[in-house]
Amino acid sequence: MDLLLLALAGGALAAGRHLRLYPASWDKREYVYAARYRGARNDLRQARARRRSVQHGEQRAVEAVQARVAESGRRSRELVRSLKEEREKVRRPQLGPALADDFGELRLHEHHLQFLRVTPDAAPTPDGDPLRLARITVATELSPQENCYINVTTSDGDERSAVYPRGRYEERDVKAFRNRIRRQAVADEEFARSQEARDAELTARIDEIEADEDRSRQAGLREVEELVQAQQAAPERLEAEQKWQYARKNWAGDAHRQPPLWARPWK
């Protein structure tokens, strides 16, 4: 039963499409199916097919230009994305592993100094954000009796100190760790200068690519516009349109109904 219904529905759709392609008034209905008017239907079908073929060819040409421009834009955006990711890494170097064992409340990394929260019954944990070595200065404050301190000052003027009780830390060890921080800070300053140069290089490249892409996009829009204008005056379009209009006029004169454009009209 379902197959029968499907067959009936398919037949109805096919008949409806045929009537849509070859319309006729009731008194001229023989034009729709009669064998002796097959030639008239063929003339109309061929003219319609030729017009649609030209239209589709023109649309493919336009879409080819649009696809090329879109692909160029996609590649440019992908390259810009990659360069921006690299620039972000340049601007924010990774903390990386520690360069030495923790020294009390401080942990030294290649590009950062990390203050630690130290408790007797737990492993040390980070206390605040790591400080970029290139942007700090360090000094020691050596108390003759109680504590030693490593004082850290950031480029913004913020100050913080790590405390080293004399009962557990020798003064020479505090000085040695301070000196190690200073040496690493000098190395990070040199690294930061090279990274700033790389940052500027990446930024210039990103700006160049984005400017080139904008020019390419504008050129693509102009190319499409010029192509459409050329297509409007192309001999194959004019010929196809002329034959189609002539076939429609002849059919309407005989069958008393105007065939639909069916294919998408040109704009």
Side-chain angles (χ1 to χ4, degrees):
M1 188 65 177
D2 291 341
L3 292 177
L4 178 59
L5 290 175
L6 287 174
L8 290 174
L13 288 174
R17 183 177 185 277
H18 190 80
L19 289 172
R20 172 73 171 160
L21 288 171
Y22 307 106
S25 63
W26 180 253
D27 60 323
K28 297 289 185 178
R29 59 188 180 278
E30 67 270 24
Y31 275 84
V32 180
Y33 294 107
R36 59 178 172 157
Y37 295 113
R38 184 179 294 116
R41 291 194 297 273
N42 284 340
D43 290 343
L44 187 63
R45 177 183 56 78
Q46 290 173 3
R48 179 188 290 114
R50 174 59 180 162
R51 182 175 185 268
R52 293 178 66 185
S53 176
V54 172
Q55 286 181 331
H56 293 165
E58 290 181 353
Q59 186 62 31
R60 285 193 296 271
V62 170
E63 290 173 352
V65 175
Q66 293 172 333
R68 173 167 51 79
V69 174
E71 176 61 19
S72 174
R74 186 197 64 77
R75 290 196 301 268
S76 294
R77 288 190 296 274
E78 182 66 20
L79 180 55
V80 166
R81 184 192 62 78
S82 175
L83 292 173
K84 285 184 176 180
E85 287 180 356
E86 181 182 351
R87 185 175 64 180
E88 187 63 21
K89 291 178 181 179
V90 165
R91 292 177 175 179
R92 300 178 183 275
Q94 297 294 313
L95 188 62
L99 297 181
D101 293 338
D102 296 343
F103 189 70
E105 298 176 359
L106 292 177
R107 179 181 295 161
L108 180 62
H109 297 265
E110 184 177 9
H111 305 293
H112 297 85
L113 183 67
Q114 177 68 66
F115 274 84
L116 302 173
R117 185 179 293 106
V118 181
T119 58
D121 55 351
T125 56
D127 186 9
D129 295 331
L131 304 176
R132 182 69 190 270
L133 288 172
R135 302 188 183 99
I136 65 172
T137 57
V138 292
T140 49
E141 181 181 339
L142 306 174
S143 172
Q145 299 176 348
E146 298 180 356
N147 300 322
C148 296
Y149 302 88
I150 294 181
N151 300 322
V152 180
T153 305
T154 69
S155 57
D156 296 329
D158 295 332
E159 296 182 355
R160 190 169 181 181
S161 297
V163 183
Y164 296 94
R166 280 188 175 274
R168 284 185 289 155
Y169 294 93
E170 295 290 336
E171 179 178 317
R172 65 176 181 273
D173 295 330
V174 175
K175 287 183 177 180
F177 195 72
R178 174 207 63 190
N179 291 338
R180 181 162 190 180
I181 296 172
R182 286 177 175 175
R183 287 194 298 271
Q184 195 61 35
V186 171
D188 189 47
E189 286 176 0
E190 295 178 357
F191 176 77
R193 284 191 291 271
S194 68
Q195 294 301 82
E196 287 173 2
R198 180 57 178 162
D199 188 327
E201 179 184 335
L202 290 169
T203 299
R205 179 62 179 145
I206 290 169
D207 292 344
E208 178 185 6
I209 294 171
E210 291 179 335
D212 286 346
E213 170 53 25
D214 184 63
R215 286 191 292 269
S216 177
R217 183 175 58 82
Q218 294 297 331
L221 293 175
R222 289 192 299 270
E223 185 177 352
V224 169
E225 182 179 352
E226 292 168 359
L227 177 58
V228 170
Q229 290 176 353
Q231 289 174 345
Q232 291 172 352
E236 55 269 26
R237 175 195 279 207
L238 299 178
E239 179 184 4
E241 183 66 20
Q242 183 181 29
K243 289 183 176 180
W244 168 238
Q245 295 300 341
Y246 181 77
R248 290 183 78 225
K249 181 179 179 181
N250 284 345
W251 179 270
D254 294 333
H256 298 175
R257 287 288 186 273
Q258 188 75 263
L261 290 176
W262 199 255
R264 180 168 48 195
W266 280 303
K267 296 180 180 179

